């Protein structure tokens, strides 16, 4: 049965754009670049801006790899980096601050400055972040003070901490030419605490959620500013009724569908459309009409705990992003975007109870050891859309069809959709993903009555929305002189060729036939290189061919050339956009790629072949950095480079003293220069697993049904002389009998499961394409 849904947008209210409670708070760099705010969206250089923020905890990753990981984030479409400064990572012992190695905040700030990467610092004192005591050092809890309050002795400690952080930050504020645009004080204040790990022997002991409300945040702000921490704006986590000062703070929200703190969690409402300015997802203590809807903690995955072991599908992260944008969010922040590993403290491990001691992979787009996940590609496609078309989306209001906000999460029969629009132009958002509920593919037809006339998706008949799929369909958009009335293909990005032609990239979702309805009026010519066209009154109805072809060329009445390209969903998930030698370039790459110093640097896990298609063609031509042969061919508009590197098979001896123990000995040969890293991939059954090197815990893993991956390049120099020890703690299936006499005694009856199924070593190859040197 086809869902035929109608929505009248002609009477939809428009938002009043004004300064709001942020008071236009923002500012400029010495070069004139600026950030600011209205009550509805952020601005960059005076234009509406929907940024993507990615959380990456510098202290949970090797400082030797910070730069390449930041480049991966940039390639992934992250516009702003956010990071915690965990107090107990830096002052584990009172008065002894450690800013060295992976704790070197200054070095991380300087790298962000080098890469021109805006940065948000979340400086506590309380952070949470699943670290010991939420970041409060044990020694603080031994003092007769009330933490997270205006207790003078606690404020004295906060003043000392902020002064230390200010020293590391000196000269790094955006208005000083540095990368730091914002600072978060505290975290989830007056909303929740964290386990009290200093208690030591009993679970269920928690730190205070705080007292003092806005007055305490005002005190922390005064202390920060007195220390010289005066960013463009401050932020505050605002969900669950947390405290939010009325002026100068941007309230930030959170959205988690999969959690490590609720076993057997029911299906989440995070995938349901709503108007977040009217009905926030949680109770809040601020006027939602005075601030942009902004997320600093939208799930980029989830950490696995011992008691709750969620497996987060990549489709869920893409779906939540789409739903939050549709519901009015104008800032998308992922927690985590990049996972990592907890450092080991001087006095023990720094993890929160029930969580792994070391790993903080988080199933995030980029994970522990730099793992590239499937969600990295999915949310990059949405980020590319926001880069090119976010300024159009940002002022648009959310309009919900009748009944959408009242749908049950288990409803599998009703089409889930809504619209963001302004003056009859906008985007229809459709979501067909729900955690723990299988939503079937569904035929649909959407009919809109807009201020610019009727619009339907598709033009005639019906379309098919596949299961586990979300789409964004534009209507009545003016795209560089082309009036796009409707499209069942999704906007991706755009570039301008050297001859002035503007190329707009769309992509077709699998199972959803692409169609463009374009007004005839502003056109003087149309050339269907690949596809079919028919006329419908004052419009052309175009059914494009999908692929890397020549697309559809338009010429406007004022002579401007515009071209629509319709990529496949697979190509869209491999698409990046870089600036190469001053030219904005679309790259479709078979393996992860970053751009640096006009080079394209590829990392290929397990495959010796890498292929990238570029448009426009790079000038000058590109060659491989290692003298490898490069094959060049032209397909449609794209120049395609293919590179093959020599295969490398690391020598490794694996012995298994028992089912649940494996010893790995690496041969003494050096990795070739084109091998970037070597990874272990381990499939096993058991409860938890650990990896030891030289008697020290390297990383650990709570079993949740996914492959355990370990990158080895940080330990490369130790591998030749050492044995890597993998061990599994058995998973018990049976009955535990507990007896109490002089002590508690347990007897287990059943089966213990602990077995390795696969231990495989995977080389990660690295090659770069760089401009051909000019002839002398």
């Amino acid at each position: 049965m086809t869902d035929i849904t109608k929505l009248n947008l002609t009477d939809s209210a428009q938002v009043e754009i004004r300064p709001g409670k942020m008071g236009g708070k923002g500012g400029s760099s010495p070069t004139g670049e600026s950030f600011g705010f209205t009550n509805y969206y952020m601005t960059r250089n005076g234009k509406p801006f929907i940024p993507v923020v990615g959380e990456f905890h510098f202290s949970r990753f090797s400082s030797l790899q910070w730069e390449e990981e930041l480049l991966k984030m940039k390639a992934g479409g992250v516009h702003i980096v956010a990071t915690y400064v965990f107090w107990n990572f830096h002052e584990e012992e009172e008065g002894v601050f450690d800013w060295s190695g992976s704790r070197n905040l200054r070095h991380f700030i300087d790298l962000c400055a080098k890469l021109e990467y805006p940065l948000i610092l979340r400086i506590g004192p309380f952070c949470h972040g699943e670290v010991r005591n939420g970041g409060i050092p044990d020694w603080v809890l031994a003092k007769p003070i009330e933490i997270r309050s205006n207790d003078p002795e606690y404020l004295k400690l906060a003043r000392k901490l902020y002064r230390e952080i200010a020293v590391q930050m000196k000269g790094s504020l955006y208005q000083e030419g540095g990368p730091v645009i914002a600072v978060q004080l505290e975290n989830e204040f007056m909303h929740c605490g964290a386990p009290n790990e200093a208690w030591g022997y009993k679970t269920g002991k928690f730190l205070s959620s705080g007292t003092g409300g806005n007055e305490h945040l005002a005190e922390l702000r005064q202390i920060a500013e007195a220390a010289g921490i005066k960013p463009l704006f401050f932020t505050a986590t605002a969900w669950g009724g947390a405290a939010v000062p009325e002026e100068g703070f941007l309230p930030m929200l959170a959205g988690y569908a999969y959690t490590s703190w609720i076993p057997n969690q029911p299906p989440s409402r995070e995938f349901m459309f709503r108007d977040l300015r009217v009905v926030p997802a949680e109770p809040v203590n601020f006027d939602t009409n005075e601030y942009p809807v902004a997320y600093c903690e939208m799930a980029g995955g989830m950490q696995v705990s011992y008691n709750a072991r969620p497996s987060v599908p990549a489709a869920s992260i893409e779906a939540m992003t789409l739903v939050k944008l549709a519901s009015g969010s104008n800032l998308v922040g992922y927690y985590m975007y990049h996972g990592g590993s907890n450092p080991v403290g001087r006095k023990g491990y720094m993890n929160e109870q029930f969580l792994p001691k070391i790993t903080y992979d988080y199933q995030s787009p980029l994970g522990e050891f730099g793992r590239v996940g499937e969600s990295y590609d999915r949310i990059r496609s949405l980020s590319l859309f926001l880069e090119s078309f976010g300024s159009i989306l940002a002022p648009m209001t959310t309009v919900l069809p009748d009944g959408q906000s009242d749908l049950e999460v288990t409803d599998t029969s009703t089409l889930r959709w809504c619209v963001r629009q302004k003056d009859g132009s906008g985007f229809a958002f459709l979501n067909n993903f729900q955690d723990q509920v299988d939503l079937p593919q569904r035929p649909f037809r959407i009919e809109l009555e807009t201020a610019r006339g009727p619009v339907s998706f598709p033009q005639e008949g019906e379309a098919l929305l596949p299961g586990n799929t979300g789409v964004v369909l534009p209507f009545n958009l003016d795209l560089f002189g082309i009036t796009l009335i409707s499209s069942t293909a999704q906007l991706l990005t755009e570039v301008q060729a050297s001859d002035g032609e503007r190329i707009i990239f769309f992509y077709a979702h699998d199972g959803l036939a692409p169609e463009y309805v374009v007004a005839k009026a502003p056109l003087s010519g149309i050339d269907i290189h690949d596809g079919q066209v028919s006329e419908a009154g004052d419009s052309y109805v175009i059914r494009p061919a999908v692929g890397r072809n020549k697309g559809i060329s338009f010429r406007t009445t004022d002579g401007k050339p515009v071209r629509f390209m319709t990529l496949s969903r697979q190509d869209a998930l491999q698409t990046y956009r870089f600036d190469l030698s001053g030219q904005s370039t679309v790259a479709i790459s078979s393996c992860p790629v970053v751009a640096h110093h006009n080079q394209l640097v590829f990392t290929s896990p397990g495959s010796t072949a890498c292929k990238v298609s570029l448009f426009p063609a790079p000038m000058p031509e590109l060659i491989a950095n290692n003298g490898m042969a490069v094959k060049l061919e032209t397909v449609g508009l794209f120049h395609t480079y293919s590179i093959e590197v020599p295969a490398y098979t690391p020598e490794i001896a694996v012995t298994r003293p028992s089912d649940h123990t494996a010893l790995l000995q690496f041969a003494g040969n050096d990795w070739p220069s084109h091998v970037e890293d070597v990874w272990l991939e381990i499939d096993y059954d058991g409860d938890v697993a650990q990896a030891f090197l030289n008697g020290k815990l390297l990383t650990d893993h709570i079993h949740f049904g996914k492959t355990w991956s370990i990158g080895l390049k940080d330990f490369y120099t130790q591998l030749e002389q050492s044995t890597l020890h993998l061990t599994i703690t058995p998973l018990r299936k049976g009955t535990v009998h507990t007896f109490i006499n002089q002590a508690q005694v347990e007897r287990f009856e059943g089966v213990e499961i602990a077995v390795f199924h696969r231990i495989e070593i995977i080389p990660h190859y690295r090659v770069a394409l760089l401009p051909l040197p000019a002839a002398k």
Side-chain angles (χ1 to χ4, degrees):
M1 181 178 176
T2 303
D3 280 306
I4 301 178
T5 54
K6 300 182 180 182
L7 183 60
N8 190 332
L9 301 175
T10 57
D11 296 327
S12 299
Q14 302 298 318
V15 69
E16 177 190 358
I17 306 298
R18 49 188 169 75
K21 288 289 187 179
M22 290 296 289
K25 183 68 174 175
S28 301
S29 70
T31 59
E33 301 287 312
S34 68
F35 290 98
F37 288 95
T38 71
N39 63 318
Y40 207 71
Y41 50 75
M42 194 173 184
T43 62
R44 180 173 59 182
N45 299 328
K47 297 180 180 179
F49 175 45
I50 302 181
V52 173
V53 181
E55 188 93 7
F56 175 32
H57 297 158
F58 66 96
S59 53
R60 281 173 155 155
F61 213 86
S62 169
S63 59
L64 299 177
Q65 277 82 54
W66 283 347
E67 184 168 9
E68 65 184 271
E69 298 308 307
L70 288 169
L71 287 170
K72 284 158 70 173
M73 291 178 69
K74 211 165 195 180
V78 173
H79 307 124
I80 300 170
V81 181
T83 194
Y84 271 134
V85 181
F86 294 114
W87 185 3
N88 57 354
F89 283 14
H90 300 283
E91 195 185 8
E92 188 178 357
E93 299 177 4
E94 185 173 7
V96 181
F97 278 89
D98 184 356
W99 300 102
S100 64
S102 65
R103 295 171 171 85
N104 192 335
L105 173 61
R106 181 71 211 194
H107 179 40
F108 186 76
I109 291 173
D110 286 345
L111 283 175
C112 289
K114 173 185 174 182
L115 299 176
E116 298 181 337
Y117 222 157
L119 177 62
I120 297 174
L121 295 178
R122 307 172 80 183
I123 65 174
F126 176 86
C127 293
H128 201 184
E130 290 76 60
V131 304
R132 183 178 178 85
N133 306 326
I136 303 293
D138 282 15
W139 58 265
V140 173
L141 302 179
K143 292 182 178 293
I145 61 176
E146 185 178 0
I147 66 166
R148 307 182 77 185
S149 79
N150 282 340
D151 181 326
E153 293 303 309
Y154 178 72
L155 294 179
K156 185 184 296 185
L157 295 177
R159 185 173 294 107
K160 179 182 176 183
L161 171 66
Y162 283 8
R163 285 175 175 172
E164 287 283 341
I165 293 173
V167 171
Q168 303 300 313
M169 288 177 58
K170 188 172 183 180
S172 68
L173 298 174
Y174 190 73
Q175 60 270 34
E176 299 173 314
V180 178
I181 62 170
V183 169
Q184 177 186 301
L185 306 177
E186 248 283 347
N187 186 62
E188 299 180 319
F189 182 61
M190 303 289 291
H191 169 59
C192 74
N196 185 341
E197 309 295 345
W199 183 263
Y201 60 86
K202 181 179 175 60
T203 62
K205 292 290 185 180
F206 281 82
L207 304 182
S208 166
S209 61
T211 59
N214 291 350
E215 290 77 14
H216 179 58
L217 292 180
E219 285 288 343
L220 291 180
R221 178 175 180 172
Q222 185 276 325
I223 291 171
E225 291 182 335
I229 303 174
K230 299 178 180 180
L232 300 186
F233 59 99
F234 289 94
T235 72
T237 50
W239 54 87
V244 179
E246 290 188 6
E247 301 287 344
F249 280 74
L250 177 66
M252 307 284 271
L253 303 175
Y256 293 102
Y258 301 80
T259 69
S260 60
W261 53 88
I262 305 177
N264 303 313
Q265 181 175 322
S268 170
R269 293 198 64 83
E270 297 292 349
F271 303 105
M272 310 299 289
F273 293 111
R274 70 180 78 205
D275 186 343
L276 288 164
R277 295 183 69 84
V278 177
V279 184
E282 291 189 69
V284 295
N285 285 327
F286 63 92
D287 185 346
T288 56
N289 291 311
E290 297 294 335
Y291 302 91
V293 177
Y295 276 81
C296 67
E297 289 194 20
M298 201 172 68
M302 179 49 60
Q303 181 71 328
V304 176
S305 74
Y306 190 81
N307 293 328
R309 307 184 183 196
S311 177
V312 182
S316 72
I317 302 170
E318 181 182 20
M320 190 183 295
T321 304
L322 183 149
V323 167
K324 298 308 181 188
L325 287 170
S327 300
S329 176
N330 276 336
L331 187 152
V332 176
Y334 294 104
Y335 188 103
M336 298 288 295
Y337 187 87
H338 200 312
S341 308
N342 288 321
V344 179
R346 292 186 178 90
K347 297 183 178 181
Y349 296 108
M350 306 300 287
N351 62 297
E352 184 176 289
Q353 64 190 29
F354 302 127
L355 297 177
K357 293 181 173 66
I358 300 294
T359 184
Y360 197 68
D361 177 81
Y362 214 84
Q363 304 176 63
S364 48
L366 298 174
E368 190 181 25
F369 308 114
R371 172 193 54 76
V372 178
E374 181 186 347
S375 59
Y376 177 75
D377 296 329
R378 286 175 175 259
I379 61 179
R380 185 179 63 251
S381 65
L382 289 170
S383 181
L384 288 172
F385 163 70
L386 293 177
E387 283 183 2
S388 292
F389 307 104
S391 61
I392 300 173
L393 176 64
M396 293 180 172
T397 55
T398 297
V399 184
L400 292 173
D402 290 341
Q404 281 291 317
S405 58
D406 299 322
L407 290 180
E408 295 295 330
V409 293
T410 53
D411 186 329
T412 61
S413 60
T414 305
L415 180 69
R416 301 182 183 188
W417 72 291
C418 78
V419 165
R420 280 186 70 171
Q421 72 95 32
K422 183 178 187 294
D423 300 329
S425 299
F427 300 89
F429 293 79
L430 291 74
N431 172 43
N432 208 22
F433 175 91
Q434 175 66 52
D435 66 306
Q436 304 182 58
V437 178
D438 290 328
L439 299 182
Q441 67 176 14
R442 64 180 76 251
F444 73 92
R445 177 175 176 79
I446 292 176
E447 298 177 355
L448 305 177
E449 191 62 45
T450 80
R452 297 176 61 173
V455 172
S456 61
F457 304 97
Q459 172 74 359
E460 294 182 353
E462 63 183 30
L464 185 67
L465 180 64
N468 290 329
T469 298
V471 301
V472 185
L473 305 180
F475 63 91
N476 288 338
L477 292 190
D478 293 322
L479 298 174
F480 307 103
I482 307 299
T483 301
L484 178 63
I485 297 172
S486 67
S487 169
T488 57
Q490 185 161 328
L491 279 167
L492 181 62
T493 188
E494 54 80 26
V495 293
Q496 189 169 17
S498 57
D499 62 1
E501 182 180 33
R502 184 74 63 168
I503 293 85
I504 303 172
F505 290 88
F506 297 77
Y507 68 94
H509 284 272
D510 296 337
L512 179 56
E515 170 192 272
Y516 305 118
V517 180
V518 176
K520 293 179 180 178
L523 299 178
S524 62
I526 180 172
D527 189 351
I528 309 297
H529 304 287
D530 300 280
Q532 299 175 340
V533 63
S534 60
E535 297 187 32
D538 295 332
S539 305
Y540 292 114
V541 180
I542 303 166
R543 293 176 176 84
V546 176
R548 303 180 203 181
N549 47 47
K550 294 188 177 180
I552 302 115
S553 296
F554 303 96
R555 186 165 294 276
T556 64
T557 51
D558 59 2
K560 294 179 180 177
V562 179
R563 190 184 302 251
F564 285 7
M565 293 286 297
T566 312
L567 300 176
S568 67
R569 164 75 164 169
Q570 180 180 359
D571 277 351
L573 293 177
Q574 296 181 339
T575 296
Y576 302 75
R577 193 173 74 165
F578 299 117
D579 189 295
L580 295 178
S581 300
Q583 169 68 61
S584 185
T585 304
V586 168
I588 304 176
S589 177
S590 65
C591 52
V593 57
V594 303
H596 195 40
H597 298 315
N598 292 321
Q599 299 182 48
L600 292 175
V601 183
F602 305 88
T603 304
S604 180
S607 174
T608 58
C610 189
K611 180 180 290 189
V612 63
S613 298
L614 303 176
F615 179 83
M619 295 295 291
E621 285 288 356
L622 303 179
I623 59 172
N625 66 318
N626 53 14
M628 299 287 178
V630 178
K631 180 182 178 182
L632 175 62
E633 57 184 332
T634 301
V635 178
L637 295 183
F638 286 92
H639 281 231
T640 299
Y641 294 81
S642 300
I643 312 169
E644 183 87 23
V645 299
Y648 170 65
T649 303
E651 295 182 29
I652 178 174
V654 180
T655 57
R656 300 188 183 182
S658 68
D659 286 344
H660 57 83
T661 300
L663 302 176
L664 282 65
Q665 183 66 55
F666 293 80
N669 57 326
D670 292 331
W671 297 350
S673 61
H674 63 280
V675 172
E676 163 71 9
D677 200 353
V678 170
W679 281 56
L680 286 175
E681 291 189 357
I682 305 154
D683 292 325
Y684 71 96
D685 278 328
D687 193 16
V688 299
Q690 297 175 301
F692 294 91
L693 188 64
N694 293 326
K696 295 181 180 179
L697 183 60
L698 185 70
T699 188
D700 48 357
H701 188 264
I702 294 177
H703 188 271
F704 67 110
K706 298 295 183 181
T707 295
W708 180 25
S709 299
I710 305 174
L712 297 176
K713 69 179 175 183
D714 273 356
F715 321 102
Y716 172 75
T717 58
Q718 304 173 48
L719 293 175
E720 183 178 352
Q721 294 82 23
S722 307
T723 298
L724 187 64
H725 173 203
L726 307 178
T727 182
I728 306 171
T729 298
L731 176 67
R732 286 178 166 183
K733 290 189 176 181
T735 304
V736 175
H737 300 279
T738 302
F739 304 92
I740 304 296
N741 42 37
Q742 292 179 328
Q744 180 171 308
V745 180
E746 291 185 351
R747 186 179 77 241
F748 173 68
E749 295 177 352
V751 177
E752 291 189 334
I753 301 171
V755 59
F756 290 100
H757 298 298
R758 178 176 71 101
I759 300 175
E760 186 175 0
I761 192 159
I762 309 292
H764 286 216
Y765 300 101
R766 179 186 178 96
V767 67
L769 289 175
L770 61 157
L772 182 69
K776 295 183 180 179

